[in-house]
Amino acid sequence: MNQDLEQLYQAYSRKVYCYLLSLCQNPVLAEDLMQDIFLKAAKKIDTFKENSSLSSWLCAIAKNLYYDAMRKQKNTVALEEELLVFDPNQRDLRIFSCLHDLCDPYREIIYLLVFCSMSFKEIGEILGRSDTWSQVMFYRGKEKLRALWLKKEGKYL
């Protein structure tokens, strides 16, 4: 199986990567999606119908995974961009207002991760929890923060 996956990757990775890059214009995202595509292809290879080429099948998987990633990212991009703007003159004060309204531990985890550049493992150690707990709570906090952000913008979920 590993050898088959490696052969599949060697034969088609360049073509799939170029296709992804043409879709997203982001080399990092294209590279991240590549891993998922070939893992998914290895699991689903038995569903491949030989009425199309293997590269077309892989590109179809790539397109679907890319669109899935964009749907998930759609409402969080503006918020994450606001969090990562380090120039105080460019920051939107609404983000800090939303952070202030967020309850703990969500607020604390977001501060530690975004502003203190701590890892989930370090956050877990500080809060006496696991790194998995920190990741889950960050995700939930980010969703709560997004909801507050949309509410302040007058958009409701």
Side-chain angles (χ1 to χ4, degrees):
M1 172 77 172
N2 285 341
Q3 187 178 16
D4 293 340
L5 182 57
E6 182 64 30
Q7 289 174 343
L8 188 68
Y9 185 83
Q10 290 296 325
Y12 297 102
S13 63
R14 182 76 181 143
K15 184 178 275 191
V16 173
Y17 175 79
C18 289
Y19 175 68
L20 280 169
L21 195 56
S22 73
L23 287 175
C24 66
Q25 307 296 315
N26 181 336
V28 175
L29 178 60
E31 191 63 40
D32 286 346
L33 289 173
M34 285 280 292
Q35 297 171 8
D36 295 337
I37 290 160
F38 282 94
L39 286 174
K40 188 169 188 169
K43 291 177 184 176
K44 301 286 185 178
I45 193 72
D46 57 324
T47 65
F48 171 64
K49 296 179 178 89
E50 294 187 29
N51 57 356
S52 66
S53 70
L54 198 52
S55 63
S56 297
W57 181 67
L58 289 169
C59 286
I61 293 171
K63 180 182 74 171
N64 290 333
L65 286 177
Y66 169 72
Y67 287 141
D68 287 347
M70 291 301 98
R71 274 191 292 276
K72 289 177 186 174
Q73 187 181 29
K74 186 172 101 176
N75 290 323
T76 59
V77 171
L79 177 62
E80 288 172 4
E81 286 174 357
E82 286 296 330
L83 280 172
L84 298 174
V85 173
F86 291 109
D87 181 0
N89 297 323
Q90 291 183 3
R91 283 211 173 151
D92 191 329
L93 292 179
R94 286 176 298 178
I95 193 69
F96 293 103
S97 174
C98 291
L99 275 169
H100 177 73
D101 293 345
L102 199 62
C103 63
D104 278 333
Y106 307 116
R107 178 180 49 226
E108 188 173 9
I109 291 170
I110 290 172
Y111 276 126
L112 291 172
L113 188 79
V114 174
F115 300 110
C116 300
S117 302
M118 291 189 171
S119 69
F120 289 116
K121 183 178 181 191
E122 292 170 321
I123 294 169
E125 289 172 4
I126 289 170
L127 300 177
R129 301 291 186 119
S130 70
D131 56 332
T132 304
W133 177 85
S134 298
Q135 290 173 331
V136 169
M137 297 308 281
F138 173 72
Y139 174 78
R140 289 178 185 168
K142 192 168 68 168
E143 291 301 306
K144 288 180 182 290
L145 189 61
R146 181 175 69 81
L148 288 169
W149 175 267
L150 291 174
K151 186 177 179 182
K152 287 190 187 273
E153 285 200 338
K155 300 175 187 174
Y156 297 94
L157 295 175

